[in-house]
Amino acid sequence: MSYQKDVEMGASLASNKSKFGTVFSASIVLGVVILCAISLWPVQAAVFNQEGGLIETGSAAALLVAGLAALCRYRGISRLYIGVVLLLLAERELEADIYAVDSTPYFILHGLDVLLDMTVVRVVLAVIVLGGVAWHGVPNAWRAMKARAPFLLVFFLAGTCAVVAQGLEEVSSAIGAEMTAAMATRLFVLEETLELFFSIGILAAVLIGWPKAKAGETTNDQTTQSDPS
């Protein structure tokens, strides 16, 4: 009976990996198609890439949902850094100045900016993030890498999008005066779209998670129930 269960579990895992591979490959193809399209028609794509526009708002929304999901899914003080970092990224994606001074979004974002400028708040956030990465993030990332966890592949791909987007921003800043208006627009929309891909990828990585057995918990996680991390 136990052997049959093992066989069924193995078949289920193989099926899940196959489905993940199919979705992952389709997502990459779709992303490449989108990037090619906005490279060919950057002016048209720029309409959606303005400050506070559809792309930036979608990126912030994805990070916000990812942060809230992480707070609910990865509970415990050692995992708090996951949700905190994602919520900080979401806050960074939106600027208060793009909204009317008397509007609710401006009030909320401006208030958060003032709060995050406080030294004591920065110290607390630094302790949460750095402590969480050292205590939980690094050991669990190493185990996930050895297990070839699907969420880690999505996370790395999302991180690559963020790195390329940052590189495009640096290029635009360095040689912006020498570029044509069309090229500057093309780099801008590519950068914003890659940042959106990053946000969506992070959200997907959080939702996919990595189910680990209770025996594989790190010492600091042993007080919590088996939970994806």
PDB file of all heavy atoms in Angstrom, residues 12-27:
ATOM      1  N   SER A  12       2.240  12.253  -9.441  1.00  0.00           N
ATOM      2  CA  SER A  12       1.620  13.568  -9.242  1.00  0.00           C
ATOM      3  C   SER A  12       2.655  14.675  -9.325  1.00  0.00           C
ATOM      4  O   SER A  12       2.425  15.716  -9.949  1.00  0.00           O
ATOM      5  CB  SER A  12       0.915  13.607  -7.886  1.00  0.00           C
ATOM      6  OG  SER A  12       0.370  14.888  -7.643  1.00  0.00           O
ATOM      7  N   LEU A  13       3.815  14.458  -8.689  1.00  0.00           N
ATOM      8  CA  LEU A  13       4.875  15.462  -8.734  1.00  0.00           C
ATOM      9  C   LEU A  13       5.384  15.669 -10.158  1.00  0.00           C
ATOM     10  O   LEU A  13       5.640  16.796 -10.585  1.00  0.00           O
ATOM     11  CB  LEU A  13       6.037  15.036  -7.820  1.00  0.00           C
ATOM     12  CG  LEU A  13       5.761  15.089  -6.313  1.00  0.00           C
ATOM     13  CD1 LEU A  13       6.932  14.512  -5.530  1.00  0.00           C
ATOM     14  CD2 LEU A  13       5.483  16.525  -5.881  1.00  0.00           C
ATOM     15  N   ALA A  14       5.534  14.556 -10.880  1.00  0.00           N
ATOM     16  CA  ALA A  14       6.001  14.652 -12.268  1.00  0.00           C
ATOM     17  C   ALA A  14       4.996  15.424 -13.120  1.00  0.00           C
ATOM     18  O   ALA A  14       5.372  16.246 -13.964  1.00  0.00           O
ATOM     19  CB  ALA A  14       6.217  13.254 -12.837  1.00  0.00           C
ATOM     20  N   SER A  15       3.709  15.175 -12.878  1.00  0.00           N
ATOM     21  CA  SER A  15       2.672  15.883 -13.624  1.00  0.00           C
ATOM     22  C   SER A  15       2.684  17.368 -13.309  1.00  0.00           C
ATOM     23  O   SER A  15       2.556  18.210 -14.207  1.00  0.00           O
ATOM     24  CB  SER A  15       1.305  15.287 -13.282  1.00  0.00           C
ATOM     25  OG  SER A  15       0.263  16.002 -13.919  1.00  0.00           O
ATOM     26  N   ASN A  16       2.863  17.705 -12.029  1.00  0.00           N
ATOM     27  CA  ASN A  16       2.909  19.109 -11.624  1.00  0.00           C
ATOM     28  C   ASN A  16       4.104  19.820 -12.234  1.00  0.00           C
ATOM     29  O   ASN A  16       3.997  20.972 -12.669  1.00  0.00           O
ATOM     30  CB  ASN A  16       2.963  19.212 -10.099  1.00  0.00           C
ATOM     31  CG  ASN A  16       1.654  18.826  -9.441  1.00  0.00           C
ATOM     32  OD1 ASN A  16       0.605  18.870 -10.075  1.00  0.00           O
ATOM     33  ND2 ASN A  16       1.705  18.429  -8.174  1.00  0.00           N
ATOM     34  N   LYS A  17       5.252  19.146 -12.262  1.00  0.00           N
ATOM     35  CA  LYS A  17       6.440  19.747 -12.857  1.00  0.00           C
ATOM     36  C   LYS A  17       6.250  19.961 -14.351  1.00  0.00           C
ATOM     37  O   LYS A  17       6.704  20.958 -14.912  1.00  0.00           O
ATOM     38  CB  LYS A  17       7.669  18.854 -12.603  1.00  0.00           C
ATOM     39  CG  LYS A  17       8.165  18.894 -11.166  1.00  0.00           C
ATOM     40  CD  LYS A  17       9.450  18.100 -10.999  1.00  0.00           C
ATOM     41  CE  LYS A  17       9.984  18.214  -9.576  1.00  0.00           C
ATOM     42  NZ  LYS A  17      11.254  17.456  -9.400  1.00  0.00           N
ATOM     43  N   SER A  18       5.573  19.010 -14.990  1.00  0.00           N
ATOM     44  CA  SER A  18       5.316  19.148 -16.422  1.00  0.00           C
ATOM     45  C   SER A  18       4.411  20.337 -16.701  1.00  0.00           C
ATOM     46  O   SER A  18       4.655  21.119 -17.624  1.00  0.00           O
ATOM     47  CB  SER A  18       4.684  17.857 -16.953  1.00  0.00           C
ATOM     48  OG  SER A  18       4.358  17.982 -18.324  1.00  0.00           O
ATOM     49  N   LYS A  19       3.365  20.493 -15.888  1.00  0.00           N
ATOM     50  CA  LYS A  19       2.459  21.625 -16.046  1.00  0.00           C
ATOM     51  C   LYS A  19       3.175  22.937 -15.783  1.00  0.00           C
ATOM     52  O   LYS A  19       2.984  23.927 -16.504  1.00  0.00           O
ATOM     53  CB  LYS A  19       1.269  21.481 -15.091  1.00  0.00           C
ATOM     54  CG  LYS A  19       0.332  20.333 -15.436  1.00  0.00           C
ATOM     55  CD  LYS A  19      -0.793  20.227 -14.416  1.00  0.00           C
ATOM     56  CE  LYS A  19      -1.723  19.065 -14.742  1.00  0.00           C
ATOM     57  NZ  LYS A  19      -2.802  18.910 -13.726  1.00  0.00           N
ATOM     58  N   PHE A  20       4.006  22.947 -14.758  1.00  0.00           N
ATOM     59  CA  PHE A  20       4.760  24.158 -14.445  1.00  0.00           C
ATOM     60  C   PHE A  20       5.689  24.527 -15.595  1.00  0.00           C
ATOM     61  O   PHE A  20       5.800  25.691 -15.976  1.00  0.00           O
ATOM     62  CB  PHE A  20       5.585  23.955 -13.164  1.00  0.00           C
ATOM     63  CG  PHE A  20       6.561  25.080 -12.906  1.00  0.00           C
ATOM     64  CD1 PHE A  20       6.122  26.283 -12.384  1.00  0.00           C
ATOM     65  CD2 PHE A  20       7.910  24.923 -13.213  1.00  0.00           C
ATOM     66  CE1 PHE A  20       7.013  27.326 -12.151  1.00  0.00           C
ATOM     67  CE2 PHE A  20       8.804  25.951 -12.987  1.00  0.00           C
ATOM     68  CZ  PHE A  20       8.356  27.157 -12.449  1.00  0.00           C
ATOM     69  N   GLY A  21       6.365  23.509 -16.164  1.00  0.00           N
ATOM     70  CA  GLY A  21       7.265  23.768 -17.281  1.00  0.00           C
ATOM     71  C   GLY A  21       6.533  24.354 -18.480  1.00  0.00           C
ATOM     72  O   GLY A  21       7.032  25.272 -19.139  1.00  0.00           O
ATOM     73  N   THR A  22       5.343  23.840 -18.740  1.00  0.00           N
ATOM     74  CA  THR A  22       4.547  24.347 -19.862  1.00  0.00           C
ATOM     75  C   THR A  22       4.139  25.799 -19.639  1.00  0.00           C
ATOM     76  O   THR A  22       4.284  26.653 -20.521  1.00  0.00           O
ATOM     77  CB  THR A  22       3.289  23.487 -20.058  1.00  0.00           C
ATOM     78  OG1 THR A  22       3.683  22.127 -20.309  1.00  0.00           O
ATOM     79  CG2 THR A  22       2.466  23.997 -21.227  1.00  0.00           C
ATOM     80  N   VAL A  23       3.622  26.094 -18.434  1.00  0.00           N
ATOM     81  CA  VAL A  23       3.200  27.462 -18.117  1.00  0.00           C
ATOM     82  C   VAL A  23       4.387  28.407 -18.104  1.00  0.00           C
ATOM     83  O   VAL A  23       4.312  29.540 -18.606  1.00  0.00           O
ATOM     84  CB  VAL A  23       2.473  27.485 -16.747  1.00  0.00           C
ATOM     85  CG1 VAL A  23       2.159  28.922 -16.336  1.00  0.00           C
ATOM     86  CG2 VAL A  23       1.201  26.663 -16.810  1.00  0.00           C
ATOM     87  N   PHE A  24       5.497  27.940 -17.554  1.00  0.00           N
ATOM     88  CA  PHE A  24       6.701  28.763 -17.469  1.00  0.00           C
ATOM     89  C   PHE A  24       7.212  29.113 -18.861  1.00  0.00           C
ATOM     90  O   PHE A  24       7.546  30.275 -19.151  1.00  0.00           O
ATOM     91  CB  PHE A  24       7.778  28.008 -16.689  1.00  0.00           C
ATOM     92  CG  PHE A  24       9.018  28.823 -16.421  1.00  0.00           C
ATOM     93  CD1 PHE A  24       8.996  29.854 -15.501  1.00  0.00           C
ATOM     94  CD2 PHE A  24      10.198  28.546 -17.094  1.00  0.00           C
ATOM     95  CE1 PHE A  24      10.138  30.601 -15.245  1.00  0.00           C
ATOM     96  CE2 PHE A  24      11.343  29.288 -16.854  1.00  0.00           C
ATOM     97  CZ  PHE A  24      11.315  30.317 -15.921  1.00  0.00           C
ATOM     98  N   SER A  25       7.275  28.124 -19.745  1.00  0.00           N
ATOM     99  CA  SER A  25       7.740  28.366 -21.117  1.00  0.00           C
ATOM    100  C   SER A  25       6.801  29.310 -21.863  1.00  0.00           C
ATOM    101  O   SER A  25       7.242  30.222 -22.568  1.00  0.00           O
ATOM    102  CB  SER A  25       7.840  27.030 -21.866  1.00  0.00           C
ATOM    103  OG  SER A  25       8.750  26.154 -21.234  1.00  0.00           O
ATOM    104  N   ALA A  26       5.484  29.098 -21.679  1.00  0.00           N
ATOM    105  CA  ALA A  26       4.505  29.966 -22.343  1.00  0.00           C
ATOM    106  C   ALA A  26       4.632  31.402 -21.837  1.00  0.00           C
ATOM    107  O   ALA A  26       4.494  32.355 -22.618  1.00  0.00           O
ATOM    108  CB  ALA A  26       3.096  29.441 -22.099  1.00  0.00           C
ATOM    109  N   SER A  27       4.905  31.574 -20.548  1.00  0.00           N
ATOM    110  CA  SER A  27       5.057  32.912 -19.970  1.00  0.00           C
ATOM    111  C   SER A  27       6.276  33.624 -20.544  1.00  0.00           C
ATOM    112  O   SER A  27       6.217  34.825 -20.840  1.00  0.00           O
ATOM    113  CB  SER A  27       5.181  32.815 -18.447  1.00  0.00           C
ATOM    114  OG  SER A  27       4.033  32.214 -17.878  1.00  0.00           O
TER     115      SER A  27
END
